[in-house]
Amino acid sequence: MLNKRAKVHSLLSMFMVLLVLNFSLSQVDELKLLLSFKSSINDPSGFLSNWNSSTPLCLWHGITCNKFSKVKIIQLTNKNISRAILSSIFHLPKIESIDLSTNNLFGEIPYDMAFSMSLQYLNLNQNYLTDTVPNCSTSLEILDLSANSLSGKIPPQIGVECSNLKELDLGGNYLVGRIPSSISNISSLQALTLAGNKLIGQIPRELSKLKSMKWIYFGYNHLSGEIPQELVDLVSLNHLDLVYNNLNGQIPSSLGNLTNLQYLFLYRNKLTGLLPRSIFGLKKLVELDLSENYLLGEIPELIIELRSLQVLHLYSNNFIGKIPNALAYLPYIQVVSFYSNSLTEEIPSSICNTSSIEVLDLFDNNLSGIIPPCLGNFSKGLSILDLEMNSFHGTIPETFGEDCGLRNLNLNGNKLEGSLPRSLANCKNLEMMDIGDNKLNGAFPYWLDTLSKLQVLVLRSNKLRGILQSSKTIHPFPKLRILDLANNEFTGPMPKGIIKNMKAMMNLGEQHSSLQYMQGRYYSYHVNLTVKGFYIKLHILTTFTSIDLSNNNFHGEIPNVIGKLSLLRGLNLSHNSLSGHIPMSMGNLANLEWLDLSSNQLTGQIPDQLKDMTFLAFLNLSYNQLTGPIPQGKQFNTFENGSYEGNLALCGLPLSKSCKNDGRKQSSPSFLKEANDSETEINFGWKVVLMGYGCGIIFGVVIGYVTFRNGEPKWFVTLYGVKYHRKGRRCSRN
Ligand SMILES: *[C@@H]1O[C@H](CO)[C@@H](O)[C@H](O)[C@H]1NC(C)=O
Ligand SMILES: *[C@@H]1O[C@H](CO)[C@@H](O)[C@H](O)[C@H]1NC(C)=O
Ligand SMILES: *[C@@H]1O[C@H](CO)[C@@H](O)[C@H](O)[C@H]1NC(C)=O
Ligand SMILES: *[C@@H]1O[C@H](CO)[C@@H](O)[C@H](O)[C@H]1NC(C)=O
Ligand SMILES: *[C@@H]1O[C@H](CO)[C@@H](O)[C@H](O)[C@H]1NC(C)=O
Ligand SMILES: *[C@@H]1O[C@H](CO)[C@@H](O)[C@H](O)[C@H]1NC(C)=O
Ligand SMILES: *[C@@H]1O[C@H](CO)[C@@H](O)[C@H](O)[C@H]1NC(C)=O
Ligand SMILES: *[C@@H]1O[C@H](CO)[C@@H](O)[C@H](O)[C@H]1NC(C)=O
Ligand SMILES: *[C@@H]1O[C@H](CO)[C@@H](O)[C@H](O)[C@H]1NC(C)=O
Ligand SMILES: *[C@@H]1O[C@H](CO)[C@@H](O)[C@H](O)[C@H]1NC(C)=O
Ligand SMILES: *[C@@H]1O[C@H](CO)[C@@H](O)[C@H](O)[C@H]1NC(C)=O
Ligand SMILES: *[C@@H]1O[C@H](CO)[C@@H](O)[C@H](O)[C@H]1NC(C)=O
């Protein structure tokens, strides 16, 4: 049956209608109703072709009978069910359960709902239904209208009409006004989701009457006032989620009496004061997230009491003092995120006793001392180690072992010295390494080029020196797409051998269609880069690519092979000693948004091919020895004279100096030589000339990088997890 269902799903993979009926086969009426239902909807795929009286009902496509030959589940593809058809479904007698989630249902929710007196379960989640919250029948136990377009207030009569509800989910709509206190009359209520609306006012104290309540999700609203002390009466409470509201005051210490609480999410509010000690009595707590508030004081050693804790998020508060030793005694702790606080002193080496830990994020604190050597090899489960923006000194531990499981090592903005340890090459899963803004010396870590997953390598602002070489590997840095070596003392020619093999920056026909951020479940990758002249923090899109080699001592010519990196968004080679011509092949960098070649010794003309960089929004060719006319048209009309200052003999707009003879010599001998350079194998034929260029596109793309604060909104992640969980429970009940 599972197979059949899976097949059906993949065949039609679009939207499903899932009806759960419970009636006897002898009831011909039911059969007639289903046939008339069939006749009223479109079925271009022929999915319903065997829905006829000569085929036994239990063999109908999408219908599953239970062992008593009663119809249990009906699955139909939805081709746009209208409100009228929806009503007709509600009239099927003896129907207990309707699941029409994730369809294209539109229009107003039919009031007929109320007449279907046998209905216990109605799920219309993820449709486009409008109007206000409808009234419901007293038989209804589970009502899920989440992720629709309902507006208006939650009607107070809900407390009377829906008196037998166990679960009410109105999340993800446009509901306004206050939470009616009459909801507290639905004494059987176990789960109440109002998240993702525009609700205001305080959380009604009366809710404390709901003794069966297990799950409260009020996040992403505009609720204000204090968290009511009275919630302590909700003795069964398991999830309390009040995130992204304007709640203020202290965390009530009475919450510590909710001994069944497993998930406490209060992040992004305006809570103040110390952590109430009572919270550490919550022995069953699995996840605690109090991030992005104004909480004060130390993180007490008392957390040792939270024996079940797996996820501890206290980031972006005003916590001071030491990292508690007690972390070492939490047997299941997986995620510790304390970033953006004012924690001081050393990381206790006891942290290495937390062998279950996966994410340790201490970014942006005032931690000092050395990085405990054991951090390199204490846990193969550790995947994220973020110690950025602290005051660690000493060397990076040499202890990264064979089974190093790190995916991100971020030590940016400390005072680390010495060279990069070779043992880092053991970390085969590394996707990102940022050791910028330290005092490292030594050579370029070419032995990292075999790391097949490394996407981001930032070593900017250190004292690294020597020439850039690669190991003997055929495809060095196969996944690398962000390389920042700015502000070091590297020398020698630009690394042609590396550049020509950086596959991740080349268009090899693979399509990266959707915009996605590099992130894990509890961590989103971020990096500071110079983008269009601004040093900014970015959450990393999986399509983002840039190379910054600025402010080193590279000399020689810019290699033609640079033109192969057609997915490159930004290239900064400024403040080096590069000479020779700007290669024509650069015109192939069709995705380039910023190009800085300033403060070098480049000579010759600006190749007209650069006009093919239709996304180019920032160009700096200043302080070189360029000559001849500036290309005109397309993007070049948008650059001002600051892009060209300090050159020998450039002419034409936007400079005031006009060109004497307007004829550009396209076929000057040096360019010919370049085009025939067989080593580059650049085929100018595949160059795609994008039409359409302009500020709209450029700004759109840039805003995409910077506005995203913390990866995917947590709300979706949280709610989705819950939905999934609850679905599972429902099925097992049947
Ligand atoms: C009924 O469905 C069966 C199975 O698909 C099909 O073979 C038969 O032709 C159908 N009969 C009618 C009258 O459509
Ligand atoms: C469903 O109907 C609406 C309104 O007529 C229309 O906008 C929409 O495109 C239709 N969707 C599908 C999948 O046919
Ligand atoms: C349903 O609600 C509407 C509007 O709130 C109301 O006019 C109507 O009387 C209600 N119907 C029932 C059966 O309660
Ligand atoms: C419903 O709740 C309100 C507010 O809590 C209360 O005033 C009212 O008496 C309750 N009604 C019933 C029928 O319990
Ligand atoms: C919480 O529990 C403690 C100890 O069991 C008790 O003394 C206290 O009165 C309770 N607080 C509330 C608000 O119920
Ligand atoms: C860490 O664990 C080891 C062995 O399990 C134990 O001897 C040591 O005392 C622990 N250290 C701390 C600081 O908890
Ligand atoms: C960090 O610590 C240093 C000395 O340990 C102190 O001078 C500085 O003010 C602290 N910074 C913050 C933001 O607490
Ligand atoms: C970690 O490395 C150190 C030094 O190489 C070694 O003494 C220690 O046994 C290693 N620990 C583990 C858990 O592998
Ligand atoms: C290129 O790098 C230099 C020095 O690191 C920096 O000043 C400049 O702003 C960068 N250019 C761009 C376009 O980001
Ligand atoms: C990264 O950039 C942000 C601004 O976007 C800045 O506040 C922060 O200090 C920068 N980080 C470092 C290490 O300079
Ligand atoms: C171009 O770069 C030079 C130095 O390399 C700098 O002085 C100038 O301000 C830059 N121009 C623009 C428009 O950013
Ligand atoms: C650059 O442009 C400004 C105004 O746009 C003008 O005042 C200045 O003279 C120009 N400089 C050169 C070198 O053309």
Side-chain angles (χ1 to χ4, degrees):
M1 176 204 124
L2 270 180
N3 262 348
K4 189 175 170 192
R5 285 176 63 183
K7 201 170 158 197
V8 162
H9 189 86
S10 69
L11 265 177
L12 300 148
S13 78
M14 294 273 298
F15 303 99
M16 294 289 209
V17 177
L18 181 72
L19 298 185
V20 185
L21 300 187
N22 192 358
F23 57 82
S24 146
L25 282 184
S26 60
Q27 286 177 301
V28 181
D29 284 350
E30 236 82 13
L31 193 129
K32 277 187 186 160
L33 273 163
L34 287 170
L35 286 175
S36 73
F37 179 70
K38 173 192 174 181
S39 66
S40 63
I41 63 170
N42 299 324
D43 182 27
S45 64
F47 181 58
L48 305 181
S49 62
N50 76 348
W51 280 40
N52 61 43
S53 42
S54 52
T55 309
L57 186 53
C58 287
L59 297 178
W60 285 11
H61 279 148
I63 292 193
T64 306
C65 294
N66 65 18
K67 61 184 170 185
F68 309 111
S69 289
K70 288 188 176 176
V71 176
K72 204 174 159 201
I73 299 170
I74 299 177
Q75 296 179 327
L76 310 173
T77 54
N78 172 33
K79 305 292 178 213
N80 233 346
I81 294 181
S82 73
R83 190 184 157 202
I85 292 171
L86 187 56
S87 298
S88 81
I89 297 173
F90 289 127
H91 284 90
L92 292 173
K94 287 203 178 173
I95 201 168
E96 278 181 16
S97 181
I98 299 180
D99 186 339
L100 296 170
S101 58
T102 320
N103 275 291
N104 285 324
L105 302 178
F106 57 94
E108 298 177 357
I109 292 186
Y111 282 116
D112 310 43
M113 268 170 69
F115 306 136
S116 184
M117 295 311 288
S118 57
L119 198 63
Q120 291 170 19
Y121 168 60
L122 176 60
N123 187 350
L124 296 172
N125 159 260
Q126 284 202 52
N127 285 289
Y128 303 97
L129 298 165
T130 54
D131 206 5
T132 53
V133 178
N135 34 28
C136 58
S137 70
T138 49
S139 65
L140 208 56
E141 293 180 4
I142 295 176
L143 176 58
D144 187 345
L145 301 174
S146 61
N148 277 287
S149 303
L150 303 180
S151 55
K153 294 184 179 175
I154 301 173
Q157 69 266 25
I158 199 166
V160 180
E161 284 175 355
C162 309
S163 55
N164 286 314
L165 277 183
K166 289 183 179 148
E167 296 187 18
L168 175 60
D169 190 342
L170 302 175
N173 283 292
Y174 304 104
L175 300 171
V176 298
R178 294 167 182 269
I179 300 174
S181 60
S182 66
I183 286 187
S184 63
N185 293 341
I186 311 175
S187 58
S188 49
L189 205 59
Q190 293 176 9
L192 179 56
T193 304
L194 305 176
N197 281 292
K198 297 172 176 174
L199 301 171
I200 58 164
Q202 303 198 354
I203 297 171
R205 287 163 206 285
E206 291 82 356
L207 292 185
S208 62
K209 289 199 301 190
L210 297 169
K211 295 287 185 279
S212 312
M213 188 68 95
K214 290 188 181 145
W215 298 288
I216 289 184
Y217 301 99
F218 290 173
Y220 295 87
N221 279 294
H222 309 298
L223 301 173
S224 56
E226 299 193 4
I227 300 172
Q229 297 270 355
E230 288 80 355
L231 292 187
V232 67
D233 295 335
L234 302 177
V235 288
S236 312
L237 205 62
N238 184 270
H239 277 66
L240 179 58
D241 185 334
L242 307 176
V243 309
Y244 277 77
N245 278 294
N246 296 319
L247 301 169
N248 56 32
Q250 304 202 2
I251 298 174
S253 67
S254 65
L255 288 189
N257 285 26
L258 295 172
T259 51
N260 286 309
L261 208 56
Q262 288 191 292
Y263 298 88
L264 179 56
F265 298 132
L266 303 178
Y267 56 86
R268 243 325 168 91
N269 278 289
K270 294 176 176 157
L271 301 169
T272 54
L274 304 174
L275 290 177
R277 297 178 89 74
S278 66
I279 279 199
F280 301 102
L282 297 171
K283 297 272 189 294
K284 292 187 184 166
L285 211 56
V286 174
E287 295 196 17
L288 176 62
D289 194 338
L290 307 177
S291 306
E292 300 186 70
N293 281 292
Y294 305 110
L295 300 170
L296 302 166
E298 299 195 5
I299 302 170
E301 294 286 350
L302 263 180
I303 60 167
I304 198 168
E305 302 290 326
L306 302 176
R307 302 296 292 174
S308 310
L309 201 64
Q310 293 176 13
V311 177
L312 179 57
H313 278 176
L314 299 178
Y315 62 82
S316 297
N317 278 289
N318 299 321
F319 291 117
I320 56 167
K322 301 203 303 185
I323 292 173
N325 256 305
L327 285 179
Y329 299 94
L330 299 177
Y332 305 109
I333 192 77
Q334 290 171 15
V335 179
V336 172
S337 186
F338 290 168
Y339 71 79
S340 297
N341 279 291
S342 302
L343 300 172
T344 51
E345 300 190 38
E346 302 185 3
I347 298 182
S349 58
S350 68
I351 197 105
C352 296
N353 273 18
T354 57
S355 54
S356 53
I357 203 158
E358 290 169 21
V359 175
L360 182 59
D361 190 351
L362 304 175
F363 161 57
D364 187 21
N365 275 287
N366 214 353
L367 300 166
S368 55
I370 61 164
I371 296 174
C374 65
L375 273 186
N377 67 346
F378 77 104
S379 159
K380 60 181 170 192
L382 184 69
S383 62
I384 306 287
L385 180 59
D386 191 343
L387 306 180
E388 187 184 349
M389 283 173 78
N390 281 288
S391 300
F392 293 109
H393 66 261
T395 56
I396 300 174
E398 260 291 354
T399 52
F400 299 95
E402 284 290 335
D403 51 4
C404 169
L406 277 181
R407 290 167 58 199
N408 182 12
L409 177 63
N410 196 335
L411 305 175
N412 186 298
N414 283 286
K415 297 167 186 162
L416 299 169
E417 300 163 334
S419 52
L420 281 163
R422 287 254 181 160
S423 62
L424 276 171
N426 285 328
C427 302
K428 300 269 188 292
N429 291 323
L430 264 184
E431 293 168 349
M432 164 161 171
M433 187 167 106
D434 183 352
I435 325 259
D437 292 292
N438 277 289
K439 298 175 181 171
L440 297 180
N441 53 39
F444 177 70
Y446 65 88
W447 32 267
L448 289 177
D449 69 2
T450 52
L451 294 180
S452 60
K453 296 180 180 169
L454 191 66
Q455 299 181 44
V456 181
L457 178 60
V458 177
L459 299 171
R460 67 178 290 125
S461 302
N462 278 290
K463 293 179 194 155
L464 298 167
R465 55 180 179 272
I467 61 170
L468 296 196
Q469 52 172 334
S470 66
S471 65
K472 294 287 176 284
T473 184
I474 297 173
H475 285 294
F477 299 111
K479 283 270 161 64
L480 199 67
R481 45 191 191 86
I482 297 178
L483 176 65
D484 187 352
L485 304 178
N487 304 335
N488 277 289
E489 293 159 22
F490 290 117
T491 177
M494 278 182 62
K496 193 149 59 172
I498 297 179
I499 291 172
K500 77 173 174 201
N501 286 304
M502 287 171 138
K503 290 195 295 185
M505 302 201 204
M506 297 175 193
N507 187 352
L508 302 175
E510 294 157 48
Q511 291 296 322
H512 299 273
S513 47
S514 63
L515 284 186
Q516 282 184 335
Y517 289 86
M518 223 179 143
Q519 62 187 351
R521 186 164 169 217
Y522 291 106
Y523 183 84
S524 103
Y525 292 70
H526 56 89
V527 68
N528 270 32
L529 295 175
T530 312
V531 172
K532 304 183 188 179
F534 298 100
Y535 190 56
I536 54 169
K537 182 175 164 183
L538 300 177
H539 287 276
I540 308 174
L541 280 169
T542 51
T543 52
F544 187 87
T545 50
S546 79
I547 295 180
D548 191 344
L549 303 180
S550 67
N551 218 1
N552 280 287
N553 294 317
F554 291 107
H555 50 73
E557 300 192 2
I558 301 173
N560 286 326
V561 288
I562 198 91
K564 285 179 117 182
L565 307 183
S566 57
L567 298 181
L568 206 57
R569 301 292 173 99
L571 178 62
N572 194 340
L573 304 177
S574 72
H575 299 273
N576 279 293
S577 306
L578 299 169
S579 53
H581 294 290
I582 298 174
M584 261 179 357
S585 66
M586 279 190 138
N588 292 324
L589 303 178
N591 287 297
L592 211 62
E593 291 173 37
W594 67 95
L595 174 63
D596 193 342
L597 303 178
S598 68
S599 296
N600 279 292
Q601 284 133 39
L602 299 169
T603 54
Q605 299 193 358
I606 303 172
D608 222 36
Q609 280 77 4
L610 298 197
K611 286 189 345 196
D612 293 340
M613 303 195 274
T614 47
F615 285 100
L616 200 64
F618 184 103
L619 176 71
N620 197 343
L621 302 177
S622 300
Y623 302 105
N624 279 291
Q625 290 150 32
L626 299 168
T627 54
I630 291 170
Q632 302 295 322
K634 291 191 181 172
Q635 294 305 107
F636 275 79
N637 290 349
T638 64
F639 305 130
E640 300 187 1
N641 60 17
S643 293
Y644 309 105
E645 68 193 61
N647 276 293
L648 269 186
L650 285 174
C651 63
L653 289 173
L655 299 182
S656 41
K657 184 182 169 194
S658 57
C659 301
K660 293 256 162 51
N661 60 341
D662 216 8
R664 289 173 60 83
K665 291 195 175 129
Q666 288 299 335
S667 52
S668 73
S670 64
F671 285 166
L672 267 184
K673 173 177 164 288
E674 186 176 59
N676 290 335
D677 187 343
S678 64
E679 189 207 15
T680 70
E681 289 166 25
I682 288 178
N683 175 3
F684 288 96
W686 49 255
K687 170 180 67 186
V688 179
V689 180
L690 290 171
M691 299 308 288
Y693 57 95
C695 291
I697 299 170
I698 293 159
F699 286 125
V701 175
V702 179
I703 287 165
Y705 300 146
V706 287
T707 52
F708 219 89
R709 202 184 135 273
N710 198 10
E712 203 181 349
K714 274 194 202 167
W715 177 58
F716 288 111
V717 176
T718 315
L719 282 188
Y720 193 81
V722 170
K723 287 249 146 61
Y724 191 78
H725 176 72
R726 279 166 40 193
K727 279 246 164 64
R729 209 164 45 76
R730 260 172 208 146
C731 291
S732 65
R733 198 182 54 175
N734 284 345

